[in-house]
Amino acid sequence: KAGVTQTPRYLIKTRGQQVTLSCSPISGHRSVSWYQQTPGQGLQFLFEYFSETQRNKGNFPGRFSGRQFSNSRSEMNVSTLELGDSALYLCASSLSTGQQNEKLFFGSGTQLSVL
Amino acid sequence: QQQVKQSPQSLIVQKGGISIINCAYENTAFDYFPWYQQFPGKGPALLIAIRPDVSEKKEGRFTISFNKSAKQFSLHIMDSQPGDSATYFCAALNDYKLSFGAGTTVTVRA
């Protein structure tokens, strides 16, 4: 069974640009979450989607947005990039049975560098 | 504000030794506590997890101990091997969101 696939693996952008990151969950998984990982702040929750609906959102500015498609694939978008947005962006998927969103499986991430 | 506090920040253990990592939380709404292992250049990989109604869970060389009244949980890595050298994160789940500890870098000396 293929794991969580994130594309692209690396990305270099300049301040003010926007970026779209893509995530394909494990087959059969309907929940997709996004996390930002930086050396200073660690792993921070961005948002979670299930059946195309956002169920929870972290404390990030409105420049960070996401969406989920009917095939469970997800994208996140960051507009007006800032230097501080440089980070590893991780996508995780889970079955999300019932009310629980347990056993999250992470992709290898997209390393975003903002110059 | 870090909702899950993890210690130590790093530790060095000899091959065959025991690594112990501790975490503490305040939010009693957390209902699932996983541990993740991360190697450089990779995403976190689920190692072992526990629910608050269980005091201990063992899988191979990895054991979670959970103290609900103290709001603390810990990971024990028995018979540590050089391949266990990685960063370990504790986490706690509530409302579809994982709150992570800051991570512990474990180095196993051969």
Side-chain angles (χ1 to χ4, degrees):
Chain A
K1 205 174 195 180
V4 177
T5 304
Q6 291 188 245
T7 57
R9 185 73 180 88
Y10 301 94
L11 208 48
I12 299 175
K13 292 286 187 179
T14 56
R15 279 181 298 173
Q17 287 187 310
Q18 75 164 20
V19 66
T20 299
L21 311 182
S22 180
C23 173
S24 293
I26 292 171
S27 177
H29 285 194
R30 297 171 63 190
S31 167
V32 173
S33 306
W34 289 88
Y35 290 80
Q36 182 197 64
Q37 185 173 25
T38 61
Q41 298 299 315
L43 284 147
Q44 301 287 321
F45 172 78
L46 282 156
F47 24 65
E48 188 267 355
Y49 290 90
F50 179 82
S51 291
E52 302 178 67
T53 299
Q54 185 183 90
R55 296 193 295 189
N56 200 350
K57 187 179 189 304
N59 297 322
F60 279 82
R63 300 185 296 107
F64 291 81
S65 64
R67 59 177 175 168
Q68 186 181 34
F69 302 96
S70 58
N71 61 358
S72 295
R73 193 177 69 84
S74 178
E75 288 181 348
M76 68 162 282
N77 184 277
V78 188
S79 62
T80 319
L81 283 166
E82 300 177 0
L83 295 178
D85 296 334
S86 295
L88 180 66
Y89 290 89
L90 292 159
C91 170
S93 75
S94 75
L95 279 170
S96 191
T97 54
Q99 296 297 314
Q100 299 295 327
N101 188 15
E102 51 190 75
K103 290 192 178 181
L104 271 69
F105 296 90
F106 283 84
S108 292
T110 293
Q111 183 67 55
L112 172 65
S113 297
V114 182
L115 306 178
Chain B
Q1 184 184 1
Q2 201 93 33
Q3 290 206 50
V4 180
K5 291 181 168 41
Q6 183 173 348
S7 64
Q9 188 175 8
S10 63
L11 68 89
I12 299 173
V13 63
Q14 294 296 316
K15 181 181 175 182
I18 302 173
S19 302
I20 302 174
I21 306 170
N22 301 299
C23 288
Y25 65 97
E26 286 298 324
N27 187 353
T28 55
F30 289 137
D31 56 8
Y32 180 72
F33 299 86
W35 285 87
Y36 283 85
Q37 178 189 57
Q38 186 176 29
F39 293 104
K42 299 290 187 183
L46 180 63
L47 201 56
I48 186 172
I50 199 167
R51 294 197 175 280
D53 54 348
V54 176
S55 61
E56 185 174 283
K57 183 174 182 181
K58 182 177 180 179
E59 288 185 2
R61 297 184 293 108
F62 301 92
T63 300
I64 300 178
S65 297
F66 191 88
N67 186 329
K68 188 175 180 178
S69 60
K71 290 184 281 188
Q72 295 175 347
F73 58 112
S74 61
L75 176 70
H76 291 61
I77 306 173
M78 314 299 285
D79 187 27
S80 296
Q81 300 296 313
D84 297 333
S85 296
T87 301
Y88 293 81
F89 294 92
C90 61
L93 181 73
N94 175 49
D95 200 18
Y96 314 112
K97 167 188 170 182
L98 274 175
S99 296
F100 284 88
T104 297
T105 300
V106 174
T107 302
V108 182
R109 298 272 192 229

